[in-house]
Amino acid sequence: MPDNMPETRINIFAQEEAASSAPVPAVRQDASGVEYASFSERLLALLIDVSIVMIPGQFILMNTLGRNIIEPVQLLKIEGLLLAVFILYEGIFSSGGRVTLGKKLMGIAVASADDPERPIGFFRAVVRAIGYFISTAILFLGFFLAFFEERKRTLHDFMARSVVVRLRPKGTVETAAVGIVGAGLMCLFCWTVYHQLFAQGSLLQRSYVYQAEKTLENLSLLQEIHRGKYGYFTNDLQRLVLLSGDPVQFQRDIQASLDRRGFRIGVSQDTYKIVANARDLRRTQVIFIPYRDR
């Protein structure tokens, strides 16, 4: 070997040291460089999207109705309409390369599980939106599947053959801002759900109480019919039911609006009093006294 030949030395540890010193991505990244969104990013995006549709819809519904009461069946129809709007919103803006506002703010998007660089179609996006409710109905287990799946996929992702990918990295300021906004929206969303389902004065609460009061009014009319026919008021519910003209349906109405526990009819020679509990979560007591005795 000539003495003047340059010597080349290769440090076989250099590549290992460089690899070990390289920053580790916060979310999973596959061989193609696609980064999959974290559970927290997806949750905050969903809360933003739900808030866009459901919270304004609930406030509009409350302000429109005011103190007017509607039956529980009608209220459920309106709630179903809001859910349909949400599904349509998700179907349109989670397909064809579009993103919902929540995902836009979070810098994530829905893509095909077969090719994460391609978006999903409208039909699959609608299936995915419906999957939200299935994931929720099984005690939110469909969402927590993301903690165990390699690409952070949830049950609704499996239903639509989709994944959620990151569109851009986030800085410290943006991450903090998103966290604050997301926490605020989460509190607002939880308050809305509580107010609509459990709080006193909510639409659902008022509807059940209204239905119970309406049933007692119908029973009072039957009491007047019974007295006109037999000369006295009765505390026998079956006798009143038989006077309704459709005993089977009237019995169903009673069972749907009144709790069996706490129901009683008090009578005297000249008046009567009906006490019952509505079938709401609070089992609100409702009382009917003839208008002439009030």
Side-chain angles (χ1 to χ4, degrees), residues 7-49:
E7 181 178 1
T8 302
R9 296 179 180 272
I10 301 176
N11 185 358
I12 62 174
F13 296 102
Q15 295 180 349
E16 295 182 3
E17 292 174 356
S20 62
S21 61
V24 179
V27 294
R28 189 190 180 281
Q29 182 176 7
D30 63 9
S32 64
V34 175
E35 293 183 351
Y36 298 102
S38 66
F39 178 83
S40 59
E41 290 173 321
R42 298 180 56 167
L43 176 62
L44 293 178
L46 177 60
L47 287 175
I48 293 171
D49 291 329

Side-chain angles (χ1 to χ4, degrees), residues 12 17 33 73 77 106 131 141 148 196 206 239 272 276 278:
I12 62 174
E17 292 174 356
V73 174
K77 289 180 179 179
M106 296 304 300
L141 295 179
F148 307 99
Q196 291 303 305
R206 289 159 54 194
R239 290 179 65 91
Y272 60 92

